[in-house]
Amino acid sequence: GDNPLMVSAIKGNSAICKVLLEHDAKVNIENNNGFTPLMNAAQNGHLEKMKLLLDKGCDVNHKRKQTGQTALHSAAYNNHPEACSLLVSRGAEINGQTNIGETVLMMNLQGGHADVFNEGAGSSRKQCLVSFFADISKMLLEYGEIINTENIMGFTALINAAQIGNLKDMKLLLDKGCDVNCKRKQTEQTALHSAVQAASDLAEACA
């Protein structure tokens, strides 16, 4: 379950979090889902709470046993660029991978995709051509994210971006020199195959 510090990291104000930490609350404690207070704060973009926890020596690279995700994965997925920047400045592993090989950049791309398609039935499906999270992707690449890393399914960040029609991030990745012809080992598909499929899906959605 969630202890008081965990709840404070999600909902409480920074003053409550500070008081709990001053009374030696455990900073790396996990709840039943494997989340730490830092992960909860990062997921919600609560910068002041994150700073308090980091100043108390919490593990910035702590991984959820269930998924292998870190606080940086959570911040990137949920579109919190300032939280990402703070975590990286405090030593977060930018090329860390989850249990299925997802990098922070891949998680960021997935977050952008989910955001587009959860906007409601009345939203234009053409919005999937825009990356809402391009600022984070750009920052990750500038910090040195390894762009040709594959997850266990053989997807690279470029293939992921192409699969959801994410033009902005595709351009960012290509400008950084990613392998445009990288093939998934399982299917031999490239980013171009994924882009063609994405265009077909978009046409059907907009029909």
Side-chain angles (χ1 to χ4, degrees):
D2 290 337
N3 71 352
L5 182 60
M6 197 80 69
V7 174
S8 173
I10 303 171
K11 298 179 180 179
N13 59 41
S14 298
I16 294 173
C17 187
K18 184 176 181 180
V19 169
L20 292 170
L21 290 171
E22 287 174 347
H23 287 80
D24 299 323
K26 295 180 180 179
V27 292
N28 291 317
I29 193 169
E30 298 179 7
N31 64 11
N32 294 338
N33 294 316
F35 284 99
T36 64
L38 180 64
M39 289 177 186
N40 280 338
Q43 182 173 314
N44 292 284
H46 294 163
L47 294 178
E48 289 305 315
K49 297 172 193 175
M50 291 172 63
K51 290 175 183 176
L52 288 170
L53 290 162
L54 290 164
D55 288 345
K56 278 291 184 177
C58 72
D59 183 1
V60 71
N61 289 310
H62 184 94
K63 291 187 174 185
R64 289 184 63 198
K65 294 182 179 68
Q66 296 92 325
T67 65
Q69 293 177 0
T70 65
L72 184 56
H73 286 98
S74 295
Y77 182 84
N78 288 285
N79 192 25
H80 298 302
E82 291 182 346
C84 289
S85 182
L86 173 62
L87 290 166
V88 172
S89 72
R90 297 296 189 96
E93 175 52 60
I94 197 166
N95 289 304
Q97 293 177 265
T98 67
N99 295 345
I100 61 169
E102 300 280 7
T103 65
V104 178
L105 183 57
M106 289 177 187
M107 293 290 291
N108 175 239
L109 295 172
Q110 291 169 15
H113 184 216
D115 186 73
V116 170
F117 283 94
N118 284 331
E119 289 202 359
S123 299
S124 169
R125 295 305 187 191
K126 290 182 181 179
Q127 288 184 26
C128 70
L129 294 175
V130 179
S131 169
F132 290 100
F133 294 4
D135 287 345
I136 292 179
S137 297
K138 185 176 181 180
M139 181 195 74
L140 293 171
L141 292 171
E142 288 174 349
Y143 274 121
E145 167 96 27
I146 299 175
I147 54 179
N148 291 318
T149 301
E150 299 178 11
N151 65 16
I152 63 172
M153 294 174 287
F155 284 99
T156 63
L158 180 64
I159 293 175
N160 273 346
Q163 190 175 37
I164 60 176
N166 186 334
L167 297 181
K168 283 189 175 181
D169 282 322
M170 289 170 66
K171 289 176 181 176
L172 283 172
L173 290 162
L174 290 166
D175 287 345
K176 284 290 183 177
C178 71
D179 183 359
V180 70
N181 292 312
C182 182
K183 293 181 179 181
R184 291 186 62 200
K185 294 180 178 68
Q186 295 90 329
T187 64
E188 295 292 304
Q189 289 179 330
T190 64
L192 181 57
H193 290 98
S194 296
V196 170
Q197 183 62 53
S200 174
D201 292 344
L202 178 64
E204 290 182 15
C206 292

